[in-house]
Amino acid sequence: MRVSLTGKILGFCLLTSAMVLPAFADQAKCSCRNLRSVQEELKNAEYEAMFFADMAAKLKAVEDPLIEAHKNPTHPDSDVSIHDRSSRARAVIVRTFKLPYNPAYGYSGPVTVGMKFGSCEQKPADLEALRAGSQCKEIANITLAHEAEHRERCARETAAVYWDRLPSQFAAGRSRTL
């Protein structure tokens, strides 16, 4: 059973206190003092989920006619690159991406933690910077779990399959992992 990000955040808000865990000696558990950060992270996550779901639909509308055109060698678009056309549409859409809170209150980590194209790996230093830059332990854990989902999917599918998806499939996957 998958638990939504909202459920995760509500759960840790209800179950946390201001104690510090030994594994994260320099990072406190989330408490009421972190409410602004939690609220802003939640608003950002909700925005991202909607943005990427919408992006996936728009890119699919670009890709589907080309997929059909490729089935007919006499169609004028039968030789058009689906990845190229969709990637160009993606670039236009991404320019409209604007988080409500950028960054969320108290966050000082990296803007993104990417995976190197063709691999399933992320730089450990980037993941540590993400953890350390989070306002409190539970926000860090949720974000690190999100990144782990990307790595696990990549490893499960193999890097070749993971990276060979259409842009609409990347966007749809992104909207589901938030």
Side-chain angles (χ1 to χ4, degrees):
M1 179 173 123
R2 291 183 62 123
V3 178
S4 71
L5 180 62
T6 303
K8 291 175 186 176
I9 290 175
L10 290 175
F12 82 71
C13 284
L14 293 172
L15 298 173
T16 60
S17 68
M19 295 170 40
V20 175
L21 295 179
F24 290 90
D26 61 334
Q27 192 166 34
K29 290 182 75 175
C30 293
S31 70
C32 293
R33 290 189 309 267
N34 306 109
L35 186 58
R36 179 177 172 191
S37 297
V38 171
Q39 289 172 326
E40 290 183 8
E41 292 284 2
L42 178 58
K43 292 263 190 230
N44 282 350
E46 290 171 339
Y47 171 82
E48 284 189 54
M50 288 188 313
F51 181 88
F52 285 107
D54 183 58
M55 177 194 287
K58 288 176 180 174
L59 295 178
K60 192 161 175 29
V62 169
E63 296 162 357
D64 284 351
L66 292 173
I67 290 169
E68 288 304 311
H70 281 218
K71 294 176 183 176
N72 178 358
T74 62
H75 191 284
D77 287 338
S78 65
D79 63 344
V80 171
S81 168
I82 300 167
H83 276 91
D84 179 64
R85 175 88 44 98
S86 186
S87 293
R88 284 188 281 127
R90 181 191 177 282
V92 170
I93 295 167
V94 166
R95 285 195 286 270
T96 68
F97 181 78
K98 186 175 183 332
L99 288 172
Y101 301 95
N102 192 16
Y105 181 77
Y107 180 71
S108 61
V111 174
T112 62
V113 177
M115 258 194 293
K116 181 180 173 191
F117 180 80
S119 86
C120 298
E121 298 175 12
Q122 292 174 302
K123 294 178 181 174
D126 290 347
L127 294 168
E128 173 55 25
L130 184 152
R131 185 205 62 76
S134 296
Q135 186 71 1
C136 54
K137 181 182 178 296
E138 288 77 9
I139 291 174
N141 287 346
I142 289 169
T143 310
L144 289 170
H146 168 87
E147 294 303 326
E149 284 184 46
H150 291 295
R151 292 190 307 277
E152 290 163 6
R153 178 179 180 174
C154 181
R156 187 173 58 251
E157 293 177 355
T158 75
V161 171
Y162 181 86
W163 288 104
D164 194 35
R165 295 179 293 161
L166 291 170
S168 66
Q169 294 167 325
F170 273 101
R174 176 93 178 150
S175 71
R176 286 190 296 271
T177 60
L178 295 170

